């Protein structure tokens, strides 16, 4: 194995700010051509920007809103080993997932990824389901081993007794509990933070990252893209040898030959104490399906995301679709079958939904969207390459497939750590959650509060997000609005009642350096 290249903490070239955005946009608007222009600042787009930049190509990325504006912030935040795809008869997709999980968790982003026990309860009267889950988890183990992930990171799957099951998931229903099947997968600290880390790493290798630049039209033959700077309303013509359409569920708008089958996935935000989770993820089989589960996913700060649905949708709000109330009911109903004390929608702290950009193969007939392949699509027409579908877990591979079409230079991203990866000195007095979010940049983030102690206070009562995170977002992570801070650099906005106080606090701390402000109802106005 080759060694992983690590960037120094706070590498100056990795710092993204409003001032740098303006300089880079002015350069491109003045006619500066790039080798690769990527459209879309979700995980796929930033992944392509990083891959291309590290192969020596000049790169610009334009995103119509903020980084992680679309689907990439609404996922389950799992870096998964592909077990589900094995159950669906897609061994290729399963293997790709397991391989990419190994690369991300051990080399590229170990600071953002940690193991998670998935606990499938074994109740008397329904023992076949837990046994089947264990068979699946053992098959997942075989994939893990083949992909080179050691059992010291993700332990072997096994059946545990009721005592251990209850220690992992204390809220489990006691009646009829015979134990649990426990398998292991990987969890991201946050999906939007992964996007920002990849974007900053791409910037460190020379990519120009421009948010709030919306592409209106692509003329691949001329190598020209018409776009508008949505902060000023100015239109610009951008030039590139190759244009990459990485706009996820929007892909059809720039490339009409792409046909997608959008599917909506909902999660409910619950207090962890109520949904039974402790160290593990309560994983409840969906009746009448194979390989589908409702999962409670514990997060930092005492909250859990519980999901998820997978339903065809005709929504056109791809950036922040409304989670249907029926989805919330369905999720909690299934969760309740395994809980000692049932929960209701009134216990929820919030909910969120995202649209999967599933590639329409045209042969899925009446199959539900849950059955459609998660395989990604890379399609080249002249100088326009469209990449869509796939998943967060496989973003690196998707990017490799795209850039392989552009250059013969070998892909390097398996051997490049994201910003924040690398050795940390945990003796330093920094809150645990910051190590998990910022890796070896955590002490720098925390130090921002040395002269301004108010930055070391939580952004809202009881929140695990601190003022220093807002400040770091402004200084280094291209946060330009209050919404960027509360909804993407931090995820405080996912807890409905924390969002308004946090937005007011962020606007106060930023003292006019952000372009919007919260109104009395908490809505953000630019
Ligand atoms: C509910 C749910 C749960 C999921 N859970 C997981 C999981 O646990 N693990 C996993 O691996 N995967 C998961 N996925 C899949 C994963 O989230 C997606 O595959 C991935 O985020 C798609 O990223 P993307 O960059 O292709 O699209 P997006 O994140 O949507 O990015 C596209 C970007 O393009 C921008 N854009 C669009 N049009 C323009 C334009 N004209 N000009 C400029 N910019 C434009 C948008 O603003 C957007 O930011 C989940 C998906 C969903 C919906």
């Amino acid at each position: 194995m080759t060694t992983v290249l690590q960037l120094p903490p706070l590498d100056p070239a990795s710092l993204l700010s409003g001032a740098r955005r303006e300089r880079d946009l002015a350069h491109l608007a003045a006619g500066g051509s790039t080798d690769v222009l990527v459209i879309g600042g979700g995980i796929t787009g930033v992944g392509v920007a990083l891959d291309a930049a590290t192969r020596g190509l000049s790169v610009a990325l334009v995103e119509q809103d903020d980084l992680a504006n679309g689907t990439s912030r609404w996922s389950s935040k799992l870096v998964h080993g592909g077990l589900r795809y094995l159950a669906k008869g897609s061994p290729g997709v399963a293997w790709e997932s397991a391989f990419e999980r190994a690369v991300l968790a051990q080399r590229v982003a170990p600071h953002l990824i940690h193991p998670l026990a998935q606990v499938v309860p074994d109740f008397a009267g329904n023992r076949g389901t837990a046994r089947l889950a264990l068979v699946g988890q053992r098959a997942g183990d075989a994939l893990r081993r083949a992909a080179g992930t050691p059992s010291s990171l993700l332990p072997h799957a096994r059946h545990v007794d009721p005592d251990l099951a209850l220690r992992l998931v204390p809220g489990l229903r006691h009646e009829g509990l015979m134990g649990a099947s426990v398998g292991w997968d990987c969890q991201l600290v946050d999906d939007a933070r992964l996007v920002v880390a990849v974007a900053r790493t791409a910037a460190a290798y020379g990519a120009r990252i421009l948010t709030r630049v919306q592409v209106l039209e692509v003329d691949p033959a001329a190598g020209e893209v018409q776009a508008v700077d949505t902060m000023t309303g100015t239109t610009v013509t951008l030039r590139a040898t190759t244009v990459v359409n990485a706009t996820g569920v929007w892909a059809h708008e720039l490339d009409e030959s792409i046909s997608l089958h959008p599917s909506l996935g909902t999660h409910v935000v619950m207090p962890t104490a109520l949904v039974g989770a402790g160290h593990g993820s309560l994983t409840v089989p969906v009746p009448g399906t194979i390989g589908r589960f409702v999962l409670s996913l514990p997060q930092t700060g005492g909250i859990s995301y519980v999901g998820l649905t997978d339903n065809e949708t005709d929504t056109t709000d791809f950036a922040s679709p409304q989670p249907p109330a029926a989805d919330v009911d369905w999720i909690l109903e299934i969760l309740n079958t395994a809980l000692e004390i049932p929960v209701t929608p009134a216990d929820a702290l919030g909910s969120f939904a995202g649209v999967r950009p599933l590639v329409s193969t045209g042969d899925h007939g009446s199959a539900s969207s849950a059955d459609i392949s998660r395989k990604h699509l890379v399609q080249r027409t002249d100088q326009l390459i469209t990449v869509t579908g796939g998943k967060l877990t496989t973003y690196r591979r998707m990017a490799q497939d795209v850039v392989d079409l552009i250059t013969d230079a070998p892909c390097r991203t398996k051997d490049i750590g994201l910003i924040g990866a690398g050795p940390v000195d945990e003796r330093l007095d920094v809150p645990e959650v910051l190590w998990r979010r910022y890796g070896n940049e955590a002490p720098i983030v925390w130090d921002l509060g040395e002269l301004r102690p108010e930055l070391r206070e939580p952004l809202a009562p009881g929140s695990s997000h601190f003022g220093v995170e807002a400040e770091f977002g402004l200084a280094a992570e291209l946060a330009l609005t209050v919404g960027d801070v509360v909804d993407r650099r931090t995820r405080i906005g996912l807890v409905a009642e924390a969002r308004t106080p946090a937005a007011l606090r962020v606007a106060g701390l930023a003292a006019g350096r952000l372009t919007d402000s919260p109104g009395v109802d908490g809505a953000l106005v630019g």
Side-chain angles (χ1 to χ4, degrees), residues 43-44 63-64 69 71-72 76 78 215 356 390-393:
I43 191 63
T44 309
E63 158 57 47
Q64 64 183 355
N69 169 54
T71 308
S72 296
S76 301
L78 293 173
V215 169
R356 297 176 186 81
K391 10 182 212 313
L392 211 75
T393 307

Side-chain angles (χ1 to χ4, degrees), residues 73-292:
R73 67 179 150 135
W74 303 126
S75 80
S76 301
K77 291 107 176 86
L78 293 173
V79 177
H80 44 84
L83 177 54
R84 247 198 91 193
Y85 313 118
L86 213 52
K88 296 279 169 221
S90 306
V93 182
W95 164 252
E96 192 172 81
S97 253
F99 182 82
E100 290 303 317
R101 179 181 67 180
V103 172
L104 297 186
Q106 292 167 256
R107 298 174 69 76
V108 172
H111 57 309
L112 302 177
I113 295 172
H114 53 269
L116 177 71
Q118 298 195 313
V119 182
V120 183
D122 177 10
F123 290 117
N126 201 13
R127 303 208 65 187
T129 312
R131 282 204 192 109
L132 197 60
L134 187 58
V135 171
Q137 287 167 333
R138 287 194 170 137
D141 247 3
L143 265 179
R144 168 188 64 71
R145 274 196 304 276
T149 306
S151 58
S152 54
L153 180 66
L154 295 179
H156 298 289
R158 64 188 176 116
H159 191 274
V160 301
D161 65 20
D163 279 352
L164 186 48
L166 282 165
R167 259 187 283 147
L168 288 166
V169 179
L172 273 178
R173 172 157 64 81
H174 296 180
E175 194 192 329
L177 185 66
M178 311 298 287
S181 305
V182 181
W184 292 79
D185 212 341
C186 280
Q187 185 181 31
L188 264 174
V189 69
D190 183 57
D191 44 10
R193 290 220 56 80
L194 177 70
V195 174
V196 172
V198 177
R200 280 189 55 210
T201 310
Y205 285 91
R208 294 187 162 88
I209 306 290
L210 302 163
T211 54
R212 298 191 161 83
V213 175
Q214 182 181 34
V215 169
L216 306 172
E217 213 181 319
V218 181
D219 182 349
E224 279 189 4
V225 165
Q226 303 302 324
V228 57
D229 172 359
T230 62
M231 296 187 80
T232 60
T234 314
T235 53
V236 284
T237 302
L238 308 173
R239 290 181 182 79
T241 312
T242 305
V243 178
V244 178
N245 172 15
T247 55
V249 78
W250 286 263
H252 173 82
E253 291 178 12
L254 298 177
D255 181 348
E256 285 180 358
S257 71
I258 299 295
S259 172
L260 294 176
H261 189 91
S263 142
L264 191 76
T266 297
H267 289 86
V268 193
V269 185
M270 298 291 287
T272 298
L274 295 189
V275 293
H279 304 295
S281 156
L282 173 54
T283 303
V284 187
V286 174
T289 68
I290 294 180
R292 275 199 76 193

Side-chain angles (χ1 to χ4, degrees), residues 34-52:
T34 50
D35 295 326
V36 183
L37 177 71
V38 183
I39 310 170
I43 191 63
T44 309
V46 295
V48 172
L50 173 61
D51 189 310

